[in-house]
Amino acid sequence: MRQEVALVADEAALAREGAKRVAAILRHVIDTQGSCAFVLAGGHTPTALYQALAVEPDIAWADVQIFWGDERAVPPDDALSNYRMARESLLSRVPVPAAQVHRIRGEDPPEETAAAYDALLRRLFRGLPQFDLVLLGMGEDGHVASLFPGHPALHETRKLVVPVIGEHIDPPRITLTLPALNGAERVMLLVSGARKTEALRLALSGGPASLPVQWVRPRGSLLWLLDAAAGSRLSRDTLNAQVRQDV
Ligand code: 6PG
Protein backbone atom coordinates (compact mmCIF):
# COMPACT_ATOMS: atom_id res chain seq x y z
CA MET A 1 0.00 0.00 0.00
CA ARG A 2 1.35 3.43 -1.00
CA GLN A 3 0.65 6.19 1.49
CA GLU A 4 0.70 9.94 0.88
CA VAL A 5 0.06 12.83 3.26
CA ALA A 6 -1.04 16.08 1.62
CA LEU A 7 -1.36 19.19 3.78
CA VAL A 8 -3.40 22.16 2.57
CA ALA A 9 -4.09 25.53 4.16
CA ASP A 10 -7.66 25.22 5.34
CA GLU A 11 -11.05 23.57 4.86
CA ALA A 12 -11.76 25.47 1.63
CA ALA A 13 -8.41 24.41 0.17
CA LEU A 14 -9.12 20.83 1.22
CA ALA A 15 -12.38 20.92 -0.74
CA ARG A 16 -10.64 22.36 -3.83
CA GLU A 17 -7.68 19.98 -3.69
CA GLY A 18 -9.89 17.02 -2.88
CA ALA A 19 -12.27 17.75 -5.76
CA LYS A 20 -9.38 18.09 -8.19
CA ARG A 21 -7.83 14.81 -7.05
CA VAL A 22 -11.14 12.93 -7.06
CA ALA A 23 -11.95 14.22 -10.54
CA ALA A 24 -8.55 13.14 -11.84
CA ILE A 25 -9.05 9.65 -10.38
CA LEU A 26 -12.55 9.34 -11.82
CA ARG A 27 -11.32 10.40 -15.27
CA HIS A 28 -8.35 8.02 -15.13
CA VAL A 29 -10.38 5.02 -13.96
CA ILE A 30 -13.16 5.60 -16.51
CA ASP A 31 -10.59 6.08 -19.31
CA THR A 32 -8.75 2.88 -18.40
CA GLN A 33 -11.58 0.65 -17.12
CA GLY A 34 -14.73 2.07 -18.70
CA SER A 35 -16.48 2.58 -15.37
CA CYS A 36 -15.73 3.66 -11.80
CA ALA A 37 -17.07 2.42 -8.45
CA PHE A 38 -16.98 5.45 -6.16
CA VAL A 39 -17.82 5.31 -2.42
CA LEU A 40 -18.96 8.56 -0.79
CA ALA A 41 -18.24 9.60 2.77
CA GLY A 42 -20.78 11.16 5.08
CA GLY A 43 -20.52 13.79 7.78
CA HIS A 44 -19.71 17.46 7.23
CA THR A 45 -16.19 17.50 5.76
CA PRO A 46 -17.00 16.19 2.26
CA THR A 47 -19.85 18.66 1.61
CA ALA A 48 -17.72 21.43 0.08
CA LEU A 49 -15.64 18.87 -1.78
CA TYR A 50 -18.80 17.45 -3.38
CA GLN A 51 -19.92 20.96 -4.37
CA ALA A 52 -16.54 21.60 -6.02
CA LEU A 53 -16.58 18.16 -7.65
CA ALA A 54 -20.00 18.88 -9.15
CA VAL A 55 -18.45 21.60 -11.35
CA GLU A 56 -15.30 19.68 -12.33
CA PRO A 57 -15.29 19.28 -16.15
CA ASP A 58 -14.93 16.19 -18.32
CA ILE A 59 -16.20 13.55 -15.92
CA ALA A 60 -18.30 10.86 -17.62
CA TRP A 61 -20.79 10.60 -14.78
CA ALA A 62 -22.82 8.08 -16.82
CA ASP A 63 -19.95 5.64 -16.16
CA VAL A 64 -19.85 6.13 -12.38
CA GLN A 65 -21.45 3.81 -9.84
CA ILE A 66 -22.11 5.59 -6.52
CA PHE A 67 -22.03 3.86 -3.13
CA TRP A 68 -21.85 4.99 0.51
CA GLY A 69 -19.39 3.97 3.21
CA ASP A 70 -22.09 4.30 5.84
CA GLU A 71 -25.51 5.75 6.55
CA ARG A 72 -27.50 6.84 9.51
CA ALA A 73 -30.71 4.88 10.21
CA VAL A 74 -32.92 7.78 9.12
CA PRO A 75 -35.10 8.47 6.06
CA PRO A 76 -33.36 9.87 2.95
CA ASP A 77 -34.82 13.33 3.46
CA ASP A 78 -33.68 13.57 7.09
CA ALA A 79 -31.14 16.30 7.91
CA LEU A 80 -28.84 13.58 9.31
CA SER A 81 -28.92 11.49 6.12
CA ASN A 82 -25.59 11.06 4.34
CA TYR A 83 -27.58 10.39 1.18
CA ARG A 84 -29.40 13.72 1.51
CA MET A 85 -26.11 15.59 1.96
CA ALA A 86 -24.64 13.93 -1.14
CA ARG A 87 -27.81 14.47 -3.17
CA GLU A 88 -27.92 18.19 -2.33
CA SER A 89 -24.19 18.86 -2.80
CA LEU A 90 -23.36 16.56 -5.73
CA LEU A 91 -25.87 14.06 -7.10
CA SER A 92 -28.55 16.62 -7.95
CA ARG A 93 -25.92 18.52 -9.96
CA VAL A 94 -24.32 15.78 -12.07
CA PRO A 95 -25.89 13.29 -14.52
CA VAL A 96 -25.31 10.01 -12.69
CA PRO A 97 -28.09 7.64 -13.78
CA ALA A 98 -30.46 6.98 -10.87
CA ALA A 99 -29.96 3.22 -11.25
CA GLN A 100 -26.26 3.75 -10.52
CA VAL A 101 -26.84 5.55 -7.22
CA HIS A 102 -26.84 2.74 -4.69
CA ARG A 103 -28.37 4.35 -1.64
CA ILE A 104 -28.24 2.62 1.75
CA ARG A 105 -31.90 2.50 2.83
CA GLY A 106 -31.69 4.22 6.20
CA GLU A 107 -35.47 4.18 6.56
CA ASP A 108 -35.58 0.38 6.91
CA PRO A 109 -34.52 -1.66 9.99
CA PRO A 110 -30.69 -1.53 10.15
CA GLU A 111 -30.29 -5.30 10.21
CA GLU A 112 -32.39 -5.66 7.03
CA THR A 113 -30.66 -2.74 5.33
CA ALA A 114 -27.19 -4.09 6.12
CA ALA A 115 -28.06 -7.54 4.78
CA ALA A 116 -29.58 -6.08 1.63
CA TYR A 117 -26.59 -3.80 0.93
CA ASP A 118 -24.19 -6.69 1.61
CA ALA A 119 -26.08 -8.79 -0.95
CA LEU A 120 -26.10 -5.92 -3.45
CA LEU A 121 -22.33 -5.51 -3.23
CA ARG A 122 -21.71 -9.22 -3.63
CA ARG A 123 -24.02 -9.33 -6.64
CA LEU A 124 -22.59 -6.25 -8.36
CA PHE A 125 -18.97 -7.26 -7.76
CA ARG A 126 -19.56 -11.01 -8.10
CA GLY A 127 -17.91 -11.45 -4.70
CA LEU A 128 -15.78 -9.08 -2.64
CA PRO A 129 -16.14 -5.47 -3.80
CA GLN A 130 -13.13 -3.76 -5.34
CA PHE A 131 -14.09 -0.11 -5.23
CA ASP A 132 -11.98 2.19 -7.36
CA LEU A 133 -12.12 5.07 -4.88
CA VAL A 134 -13.40 5.29 -1.32
CA LEU A 135 -13.74 8.64 0.42
CA LEU A 136 -13.66 8.58 4.21
CA GLY A 137 -13.80 11.19 6.92
CA MET A 138 -12.31 10.60 10.37
CA GLY A 139 -13.96 11.32 13.69
CA GLU A 140 -12.21 12.82 16.73
CA ASP A 141 -11.95 9.31 18.13
CA GLY A 142 -10.35 8.02 14.96
CA HIS A 143 -13.49 6.31 13.64
CA VAL A 144 -14.06 5.95 9.92
CA ALA A 145 -17.43 5.30 8.28
CA SER A 146 -19.36 4.00 11.31
CA LEU A 147 -16.56 1.81 12.61
CA PHE A 148 -16.20 3.13 16.14
CA PRO A 149 -13.46 2.22 18.66
CA GLY A 150 -14.45 -0.82 20.69
CA HIS A 151 -17.54 -1.65 18.64
CA PRO A 152 -17.77 -5.23 17.29
CA ALA A 153 -18.40 -3.87 13.78
CA LEU A 154 -14.74 -2.82 13.68
CA HIS A 155 -13.61 -6.43 14.02
CA GLU A 156 -16.04 -7.98 11.51
CA THR A 157 -14.06 -10.13 9.09
CA ARG A 158 -16.72 -11.85 7.01
CA LYS A 159 -19.65 -9.53 6.38
CA LEU A 160 -19.30 -6.55 4.06
CA VAL A 161 -22.01 -4.44 5.69
CA VAL A 162 -23.28 -4.50 9.28
CA PRO A 163 -25.68 -2.55 11.48
CA VAL A 164 -24.06 -0.42 14.19
CA ILE A 165 -26.24 -0.21 17.26
CA GLY A 166 -25.21 0.85 20.74
CA GLU A 167 -26.03 2.90 23.79
CA HIS A 168 -24.27 6.02 22.54
CA ILE A 169 -24.97 5.57 18.84
CA ASP A 170 -28.00 7.66 18.05
CA PRO A 171 -29.27 7.23 15.44
CA PRO A 172 -28.08 3.71 14.75
CA ARG A 173 -25.92 3.30 11.68
CA ILE A 174 -25.26 0.94 8.79
CA THR A 175 -21.61 0.67 7.78
CA LEU A 176 -19.28 -1.02 5.37
CA THR A 177 -16.77 -3.16 7.24
CA LEU A 178 -12.99 -3.24 6.89
CA PRO A 179 -13.09 -6.18 4.44
CA ALA A 180 -15.31 -4.07 2.19
CA LEU A 181 -13.30 -0.87 2.58
CA ASN A 182 -9.86 -2.46 2.28
CA GLY A 183 -10.76 -4.21 -0.96
CA ALA A 184 -10.61 -0.77 -2.55
CA GLU A 185 -7.82 0.27 -4.90
CA ARG A 186 -7.70 3.80 -3.47
CA VAL A 187 -8.84 5.41 -0.21
CA MET A 188 -8.82 9.17 0.33
CA LEU A 189 -9.11 10.26 3.98
CA LEU A 190 -10.43 13.81 4.45
CA VAL A 191 -9.46 15.30 7.81
CA SER A 192 -10.18 18.91 8.70
CA GLY A 193 -10.17 20.95 11.90
CA ALA A 194 -8.30 21.26 15.15
CA ARG A 195 -10.59 18.73 16.87
CA LYS A 196 -8.89 15.96 14.90
CA THR A 197 -5.26 16.82 15.77
CA GLU A 198 -4.74 14.23 18.50
CA ALA A 199 -6.38 11.34 16.64
CA LEU A 200 -4.38 12.28 13.55
CA ARG A 201 -1.12 12.49 15.47
CA LEU A 202 -1.76 9.02 16.90
CA ALA A 203 -2.87 7.61 13.56
CA LEU A 204 0.25 8.83 11.74
CA SER A 205 2.70 8.21 14.57
CA GLY A 206 3.60 4.78 13.23
CA GLY A 207 2.74 3.25 16.59
CA PRO A 208 0.56 0.19 17.19
CA ALA A 209 -2.90 0.41 15.66
CA SER A 210 -5.27 1.64 18.32
CA LEU A 211 -7.70 3.69 16.22
CA PRO A 212 -10.11 2.38 13.59
CA VAL A 213 -8.54 4.63 10.94
CA GLN A 214 -5.26 2.75 11.37
CA TRP A 215 -6.90 -0.42 10.08
CA VAL A 216 -7.74 1.22 6.77
CA ARG A 217 -5.29 -0.43 4.39
CA PRO A 218 -6.53 -0.45 0.77
CA ARG A 219 -4.93 -2.57 -1.95
CA GLY A 220 -3.35 0.35 -3.77
CA SER A 221 -3.02 3.81 -2.27
CA LEU A 222 -4.04 5.70 0.86
CA LEU A 223 -4.09 9.49 0.67
CA TRP A 224 -4.43 11.55 3.84
CA LEU A 225 -5.75 14.95 2.77
CA LEU A 226 -5.42 17.24 5.78
CA ASP A 227 -5.87 20.91 6.46
CA ALA A 228 -3.33 22.78 8.57
CA ALA A 229 -5.61 22.87 11.61
CA ALA A 230 -5.91 19.08 11.67
CA GLY A 231 -2.26 18.53 10.86
CA SER A 232 -0.91 21.12 13.30
CA ARG A 233 0.58 18.52 15.65
CA LEU A 234 2.22 16.34 13.07
CA SER A 235 5.99 16.34 13.34
CA ARG A 236 7.93 17.25 10.24
CA ASP A 237 9.22 13.75 9.75
CA THR A 238 5.68 12.41 9.84
CA LEU A 239 4.77 14.38 6.78
CA ASN A 240 6.32 12.67 3.76
CA ALA A 241 8.07 14.42 0.86
CA GLN A 242 4.79 14.81 -1.00
CA VAL A 243 3.40 17.35 1.41
CA ARG A 244 1.45 19.99 -0.50
CA GLN A 245 1.31 23.47 1.02
CA ASP A 246 -1.40 25.30 -0.83
CA VAL A 247 -1.38 29.04 -0.29
C1 6PG B 1 -20.69 9.89 9.19
C2 6PG B 1 -19.35 9.55 8.60
C3 6PG B 1 -18.31 9.66 9.68
C4 6PG B 1 -17.61 10.98 9.44
C5 6PG B 1 -16.69 11.35 10.56
C6 6PG B 1 -16.14 12.77 10.35
O1 6PG B 1 -21.68 9.25 8.82
O2 6PG B 1 -20.72 10.86 9.98
O3 6PG B 1 -19.30 8.42 7.97
O4 6PG B 1 -17.36 8.63 9.67
O5 6PG B 1 -16.85 10.88 8.23
O6 6PG B 1 -17.43 11.30 11.78
O7 6PG B 1 -17.26 13.63 10.33
P1 6PG B 1 -17.09 15.20 9.99
O8 6PG B 1 -16.66 15.27 8.56
O9 6PG B 1 -18.48 15.75 10.19
O10 6PG B 1 -16.07 15.74 10.95
Side-chain angles (χ1 to χ4, degrees):
M1 178 189 85
R2 298 180 308 284
Q3 177 167 287
E4 177 190 352
V5 178
L7 193 68
V8 296
D10 52 28
E11 193 172 3
L14 188 148
R16 289 195 303 273
E17 180 71 12
K20 278 193 292 187
R21 287 177 178 245
V22 168
I25 291 166
L26 295 180
R27 293 184 197 108
H28 168 72
V29 171
I30 293 166
D31 287 350
T32 54
Q33 296 175 194
S35 67
C36 182
F38 179 23
V39 179
L40 301 182
H44 166 74
T45 305
T47 309
L49 185 155
Y50 295 159
Q51 292 164 344
L53 181 62
V55 296
E56 276 286 334
D58 306 324
I59 297 174
W61 287 103
D63 297 323
V64 178
Q65 298 278 343
I66 298 283
F67 302 87
W68 275 263
D70 72 332
E71 186 52 279
R72 289 86 180 271
V74 296
D77 57 356
D78 189 292
L80 290 177
S81 166
N82 287 337
Y83 165 79
R84 174 176 164 178
M85 182 272 278
R87 187 192 65 219
E88 291 176 348
S89 56
L90 175 63
L91 300 177
S92 58
R93 307 178 188 195
V94 295
V96 180
Q100 294 172 202
V101 177
H102 305 290
R103 178 174 73 85
I104 298 175
R105 291 179 55 86
E107 66 270 37
D108 294 339
E111 295 80 357
E112 285 175 28
T113 296
Y117 212 68
D118 188 302
L120 171 75
L121 294 181
R122 292 180 194 275
R123 176 167 57 79
L124 289 179
F125 290 91
R126 296 185 177 82
L128 292 179
Q130 296 196 338
F131 298 115
D132 297 298
L133 174 60
V134 174
L135 294 186
L136 290 172
M138 185 190 77
E140 295 174 49
D141 58 0
H143 79 257
V144 291
S146 289
L147 298 172
F148 297 102
H151 195 282
L154 178 61
H155 305 291
E156 174 61 47
T157 57
R158 291 182 304 103
K159 294 177 183 174
L160 299 176
V161 189
V162 295
V164 183
I165 295 162
E167 189 182 350
H168 304 297
I169 301 170
D170 183 25
R173 310 279 187 103
I174 301 95
T175 190
L176 267 57
T177 60
L178 287 170
L181 296 173
N182 286 339
E185 177 59 29
R186 302 164 192 82
V187 170
M188 188 183 296
L189 271 163
L190 311 170
V191 189
S192 169
R195 293 177 302 119
K196 315 287 178 80
T197 51
E198 185 50 27
L200 201 54
R201 188 189 63 76
L202 265 177
L204 286 172
S205 65
S210 59
L211 302 176
V213 71
Q214 291 175 280
W215 277 292
V216 174
R217 306 193 64 75
R219 290 181 299 122
S221 63
L222 176 60
L223 168 67
W224 298 77
L225 187 54
L226 320 173
D227 69 6
S232 61
R233 293 189 58 192
L234 295 179
S235 62
R236 196 70 201 155
D237 59 2
T238 300
L239 296 171
N240 67 21
Q242 297 176 49
V243 171
R244 289 281 306 273
Q245 296 280 1
D246 280 6
V247 292

